[in-house]
Amino acid sequence: MDEPTLVVGVITTVHGLRGEVAVQNRSDNPDRWRPDGTVLLEDGRSLTIASVRSHGKRLLVKFEGIEDRATAETLRGRSVLVPESWVPPPPAGSWWAY
């Protein structure tokens, strides 16, 4: 991808046996983590969010196609990105620090 990307989360660990992962959220956009939303990995692979729920200070996210713990383990430690063009404009008189 030629467009600059922004880190919106980091996959910290696997949760359970059905492919759910814990994500440290780094996005201020409340719509970033919603079912059917799309995020990217560093290699450009896109992931579609199947479900998300709060779990303390982190999010538990299930991505489509990640059905078991072994597959989810391959995501551990990976940054979750979005293209800069997907970031909404900041409110008038403010700016995004990134």
Side-chain angles (χ1 to χ4, degrees), residues 6-7 13 15 23 44 50 58-59 62 66 71 84 92-93:
L6 304 171
V7 175
T13 191
H15 183 84
V23 175
R58 60 188 181 167
L59 300 173
K62 175 86 169 92
I66 308 296
T71 306
E84 190 174 346

Side-chain angles (χ1 to χ4, degrees), residues 11 39-47 75 78-81:
I11 299 171
V39 293
L40 306 173
L41 296 176
E42 301 97 334
D43 60 9
R45 187 171 93 181
S46 66
L47 296 172
L75 302 177
R78 308 278 303 267
S79 293
V80 181
L81 314 167

Side-chain angles (χ1 to χ4, degrees), residues 27-78:
S27 176
D28 289 335
N29 181 353
D31 292 328
R32 174 70 56 223
W33 300 101
R34 60 176 169 67
D36 294 326
T38 302
V39 293
L40 306 173
L41 296 176
E42 301 97 334
D43 60 9
R45 187 171 93 181
S46 66
L47 296 172
T48 301
I49 299 166
S51 66
V52 62
R53 59 191 172 111
S54 294
H55 190 260
K57 293 184 178 184
R58 60 188 181 167
L59 300 173
L60 296 181
V61 180
K62 175 86 169 92
F63 294 110
E64 290 181 10
I66 308 296
E67 302 301 327
D68 57 45
R69 185 176 184 90
T71 306
E73 283 285 352
T74 66
L75 302 177
R76 182 192 296 257
R78 308 278 303 267

